[in-house]
């Protein structure tokens, strides 16, 4: 007696011959979910808004406001504890920028999101420049006047000053003034002029801070003298050395790499992530940069790392910062920016899509020329080795187009081949055959952990010009799934007389014997049913079509075996 019973359903493994696949594996698994080893259909998305057709990234801010970018910018909420300004930072566009709650939401909610391609509209350049005139760092001058105290001692000092935004962000100092000598009691008038500074946050509340060296101070530390409104062009100093404050903190608090090629030859910072120590990590060209902890505007060039080839993207992980390049991956580890150390992993797998990188349960997954690569700790491996060949990967999934994200412990890869836009789902819970194919397309993805929802930007179907839909994944009605089994090889010609499908609703079953379609039938219930007399042969294949749950399918020679 012979029987085939499938109740442990799996996905596909295209590299494996259909006859050598594991039991329960498939050659086709379209719009299928594997839930507790049963088949479940994928669901259609639900549209929540329309966005510009040029949108490449989206972010749900403060649990209710949608931010969008046509430049594929990454969005980072303020790492500052209890930030009263509720700042949001954007990286990956023409230059790093940021906004605050009171200016970010102008005109929000006045219509569909597509009516404003990039939101927030109102932003500032990130960072604080050194005081400058025409891009040349300013050097203050000092004039001494007035009468000295009786028995006054001569003091020699030098001044610098910094700019401070309306948010309290302080930048690097001016050049030091020339050394100036004065007698105690005399007044020093310091010029602290500066030209207007682009689109930095020097509005109401912006300041200038003055620092100077003190008599007997070792080294060249500058100590706080005073702060004045931003528009002030000179300052009269009569402060005694004993009244000076803290040491200048911002000597190396430079602005991030931006669109000034004389300052940033490799262009502006790209994708940026928030590290557990409260500092940001980003990159441009071969340089990996780190901000000061909890100071997103301040980037110390002494804390940079350099890779051998250009960085494609970065991804934070529990074991460090994963750096994916045009050649080999790296991992940078450290608790503070100045202690970050760089290790190159011994695997020659470049990243071919910056948007493919995602964190799957503590391992970083990304698209390489050969397949999906996983990095965990200092170990990297090609996890699709033996599952998909390089040729299949290149021809069927167009890895350079992949937009990757992780949701419900599965990796989603949205890809485009020609005019076809689809996705694959890598499910590590089924290592023998972990791939599923879906008709769901997306050019951008955002997972809201609080909502436990995957949001996608997909091609619009409502006829609203070139606009796209912002949707919630898998919250609509059921799709029609198609699952085709492996080829089951019988040692001798075998006759199958009975079949049974245990499922919700009425699935369609097809049975192929030695490549010939023998049965194409709608199954009305979960009772055994007769198979055609021609169900005899050596290679058996079963197809299920349904839009509801399927728990098992079986065929056998005897009724009692199904």
């Amino acid at each position: 007696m012979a029987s085939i019973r499938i109740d442990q359903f799996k996905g596909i493994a295209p590299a494996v011959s259909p006859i050598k696949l594991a039991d329960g594996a498939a050659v086709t698994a379209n719009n299928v979910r594997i839930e507790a080893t049963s088949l479940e259909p994928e669901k259609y998305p639900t549209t929540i808004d329309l966005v510009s057709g040029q949108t490449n990234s989206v972010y749900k801010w403060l649990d209710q406001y949608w931010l969008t970018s046509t430049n594929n910018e990454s969005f980072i909420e303020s790492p500052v504890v209890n930030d009263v300004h509720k700042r949001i930072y954007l990286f990956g566009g023409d230059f790093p920028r940021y906004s605050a709650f009171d200016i970010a939401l102008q005109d929000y909610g006045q219509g569909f999101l597509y009516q404003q391609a990039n939101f927030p509209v109102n932003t500032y350049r990130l960072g604080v420049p050194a005081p400058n005139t025409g891009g040349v760092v300013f050097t203050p001058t000092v004039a001494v006047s007035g009468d000295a105290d009786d028995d006054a001692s001569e003091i020699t000092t030098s001044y610098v000053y910094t700019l401070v935004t309306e948010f309290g962000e302080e930048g690097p100092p001016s050049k030091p003034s020339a050394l100036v000598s004065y007698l105690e009691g005399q007044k020093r008038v310091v010029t602290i002029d500066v030209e207007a500074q682009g689109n930095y946050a020097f509005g109401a509340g912006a300041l200038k801070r003055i620092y100077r060296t003190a008599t007997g101070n070792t080294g060249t530390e500058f100590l706080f003298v005073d702060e004045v409104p931003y528009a002030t062009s000179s300052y009269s100093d009569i402060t005694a050395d004993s009244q000076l404050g803290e040491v200048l903190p911002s000597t190396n608090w430079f602005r991030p790499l931006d669109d000034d090629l004389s300052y940033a030859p490799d262009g502006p910072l790209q994708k940026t992530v928030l590290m557990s120590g409260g500092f940001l990590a980003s990159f441009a060209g071969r340089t990996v940069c780190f901000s000061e902890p909890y100071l997103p505007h301040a980037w110390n060039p002494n804390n940079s790392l350099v890779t051998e080839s250009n960085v494609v993207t970065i991804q934070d992980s529990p074991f460090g910062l994963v750096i994916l390049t045009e050649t080999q991956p790296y991992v940078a580890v450290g608790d503070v920016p100045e202690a970050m150390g760089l290790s190159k992993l011994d695997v020659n797998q470049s990243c071919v899509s910056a948007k493919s990188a995602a964190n799957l349960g503590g391992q970083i997954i990304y698209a390489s020329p050969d397949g999906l690569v996983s990095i965990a700790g200092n170990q990297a491996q090609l996890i699709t080795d033996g599952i998909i060949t390089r040729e299949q990967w290149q021809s069927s999934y167009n890895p350079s187009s992949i937009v990757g994200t992780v949701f419900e412990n599965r990796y989603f890869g949205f890809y485009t081949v020609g005019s076809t836009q689809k996705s694959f789902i890598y499910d590590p819970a089924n290592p023998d055959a972990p791939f599923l194919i879906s008709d769901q397309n997306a050019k951008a993805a955002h997972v809201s952990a609080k909502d436990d929802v995957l949001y996608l930007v997909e091609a619009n179907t409502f006829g609203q010009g070139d606009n796209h839909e912002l949707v919630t994944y898998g919250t609509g009605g059921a799709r029609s799934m198609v699952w085709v089994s492996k080829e089951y090889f019988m040692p001798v010609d075998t006759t199958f007389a009975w079949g049974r499908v245990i499922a919700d609703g009425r699935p369609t079953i097809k049975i192929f014997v030695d490549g010939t379609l023998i049965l194409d039938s709608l199954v009305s219930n979960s009772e055994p049913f007769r198979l055609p007399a021609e169900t005899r042969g050596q290679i058996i294949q079963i197809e299920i079509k349904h839009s509801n749950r399927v728990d098992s399918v079986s065929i056998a020679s005897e009724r009692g075996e199904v």
Side-chain angles (χ1 to χ4, degrees):
M1 305 302 168
S3 66
I4 296 172
R5 179 177 179 83
I6 307 172
D7 57 6
Q8 303 284 318
F9 291 97
K10 301 176 181 178
I12 64 174
V16 182
S17 169
I19 212 165
K20 290 184 176 182
L21 286 166
D23 288 346
V27 296
T28 299
N30 291 348
N31 296 322
V32 168
R33 287 175 61 95
I34 309 296
E35 293 289 349
T37 71
S38 295
L39 294 180
E40 291 269 11
E42 285 281 351
K43 295 181 179 180
Y44 287 99
T46 301
T47 301
I48 60 174
D49 210 329
L50 296 182
V51 298
S52 164
Q54 304 305 311
T55 299
N56 281 305
S57 60
V58 293
Y59 184 81
K60 194 175 186 182
W61 185 38
L62 302 175
D63 302 324
Q64 58 182 315
Y65 306 108
W66 281 103
L67 307 182
T68 60
S69 171
T70 60
N71 288 324
N72 193 33
E73 288 170 295
S74 51
F75 300 88
I76 296 179
E77 296 194 32
S78 176
V80 178
V81 178
N82 298 322
D83 182 6
V84 296
H85 304 293
K86 297 180 182 178
R87 281 164 286 185
I88 184 77
Y89 297 85
L90 295 80
F91 295 85
D94 295 335
F95 49 84
R97 56 196 182 107
Y98 69 118
S99 191
F101 184 79
D102 62 348
I103 65 168
L105 298 177
Q106 180 180 330
D107 297 329
Y108 188 87
Q110 301 301 308
F112 290 116
L113 285 172
Y114 74 79
Q115 293 175 320
Q116 176 53 252
N118 291 279
F119 208 89
V121 180
N122 300 315
T123 60
Y124 297 110
R125 277 184 175 267
L126 180 61
V128 184
N132 70 88
T133 299
V136 178
V137 177
F138 192 79
T139 303
T141 58
V142 184
V144 178
S145 63
D147 296 328
D149 295 339
D150 293 338
D151 301 320
S153 299
E154 185 177 66
I155 298 172
T156 300
T157 189
S158 177
Y159 287 83
V160 297
Y161 70 101
T162 64
L163 307 180
V164 183
T165 71
E166 60 196 76
F167 301 108
E169 303 153 328
E170 187 168 11
S174 64
K175 291 181 180 179
S177 70
L179 290 173
V180 59
S181 296
Y182 66 94
L183 296 174
E184 290 175 332
Q186 289 186 302
K187 179 172 64 175
R188 289 83 61 199
V189 178
V190 188
T191 60
I192 50 174
D193 201 7
V194 63
E195 67 175 18
Q197 297 290 329
N199 188 33
Y200 294 99
F202 293 133
L207 303 169
K208 292 172 183 171
R209 286 185 182 148
I210 299 100
Y211 299 82
R212 78 164 194 252
T213 57
T215 301
N217 185 33
T218 59
T220 56
E221 289 183 333
F222 289 87
L223 306 180
F224 177 75
V225 177
D226 201 355
E227 61 185 26
V228 296
Y230 179 78
T232 303
S233 60
S234 67
Y235 175 77
S236 297
D237 181 20
I238 56 173
T239 306
D241 282 359
S242 61
Q243 297 175 309
L244 296 177
E246 66 172 355
V247 174
L248 170 68
S250 61
T251 300
N252 290 313
W253 291 1
F254 293 93
R255 71 185 197 268
L257 299 178
D258 54 25
D259 55 346
D260 180 356
L261 294 181
S262 64
Y263 175 71
D266 292 317
L269 293 181
Q270 299 302 304
K271 180 182 179 180
T272 303
V273 298
L274 175 61
M275 304 295 288
S276 59
F279 57 95
L280 304 186
S282 191
F283 71 93
R286 297 190 301 127
T287 304
V288 181
C289 310
F290 304 98
S291 77
E292 292 295 304
Y294 306 103
L295 298 173
H297 74 281
W299 298 73
N300 187 342
N302 295 326
N303 296 335
S304 299
L305 303 173
V306 178
T307 58
E308 291 183 5
S309 57
N310 286 334
V311 178
V312 176
T313 192
I314 58 175
Q315 184 72 41
D316 57 317
S317 76
F319 52 85
L321 179 69
V322 175
I323 302 162
L324 306 175
T325 76
E326 294 175 347
T327 53
Q328 291 175 276
Y330 294 74
V331 175
V333 178
D335 295 326
V336 292
E338 58 267 26
M340 296 296 289
L342 192 64
S343 298
K344 182 167 65 173
L345 303 187
D346 188 20
V347 58
N348 292 315
Q349 292 291 348
S350 64
C351 178
V352 295
S353 170
K355 298 181 73 170
S356 69
N359 187 338
L360 175 60
Q363 58 179 328
I364 303 305
I365 308 293
Y366 70 94
S368 81
D370 297 331
L372 288 181
V373 176
S374 163
I375 296 177
N378 62 353
Q379 300 295 318
Q381 63 173 328
L382 184 66
I383 56 175
T384 51
D385 188 26
I387 303 298
I388 298 176
T389 67
R390 176 187 170 93
E391 291 73 19
Q392 291 168 333
W393 178 246
Q394 291 285 340
S395 63
S396 298
Y397 302 102
N398 188 15
S400 64
S401 72
I402 291 174
V403 175
T405 193
V406 169
F407 184 61
E408 295 181 341
N409 298 315
R410 302 186 299 166
Y411 177 91
F412 290 73
F414 301 95
Y415 63 92
T416 301
V417 178
S419 60
T420 300
Q421 296 178 312
K422 302 184 75 171
S423 57
F424 65 80
I425 302 164
Y426 171 78
D427 187 353
N430 295 296
D432 292 334
F435 265 66
L436 306 167
I437 304 299
S438 171
D439 288 336
Q440 180 65 62
N441 73 80
K443 61 183 298 189
H446 169 68
V447 176
S448 171
K450 185 172 183 178
D451 296 346
D452 192 27
V453 172
L454 170 59
Y455 295 96
L456 304 172
V457 174
E458 68 164 12
N460 176 46
T461 58
F462 286 167
Q464 295 288 333
D466 294 328
N467 299 308
H468 289 173
E469 295 176 36
L470 177 62
V471 303
T472 54
Y473 164 77
T475 54
R479 295 180 185 268
S480 178
M481 65 179 175
V482 179
W483 186 91
V484 181
S485 76
K486 64 168 284 184
E487 294 179 350
Y488 287 87
F489 177 74
M490 316 305 295
V492 296
D493 277 0
T494 303
T495 299
F496 294 90
W498 292 90
R500 189 176 194 178
V501 180
I502 299 178
D504 295 337
R506 304 175 66 191
T508 297
I509 183 173
K510 291 182 180 181
I511 298 177
F512 298 84
V513 178
D514 295 335
T516 300
L517 177 64
I518 299 300
L519 176 69
D520 183 353
S521 176
L522 189 68
V523 180
S524 59
N525 55 51
S526 296
E527 294 299 314
F529 55 86
R530 278 283 188 179
L531 298 180
E534 300 87 355
T535 313
R536 174 186 176 88
Q538 284 190 291
I539 298 177
I540 311 298
Q541 202 165 21
I542 301 171
E543 176 183 303
I544 293 290
K545 288 184 178 181
H546 200 23
S547 56
N548 218 319
R549 182 183 180 93
V550 177
D551 290 314
S552 68
V553 56
S554 54
I555 61 174
S557 300
E558 301 290 337
R559 190 178 193 277
E561 294 178 304
V562 297

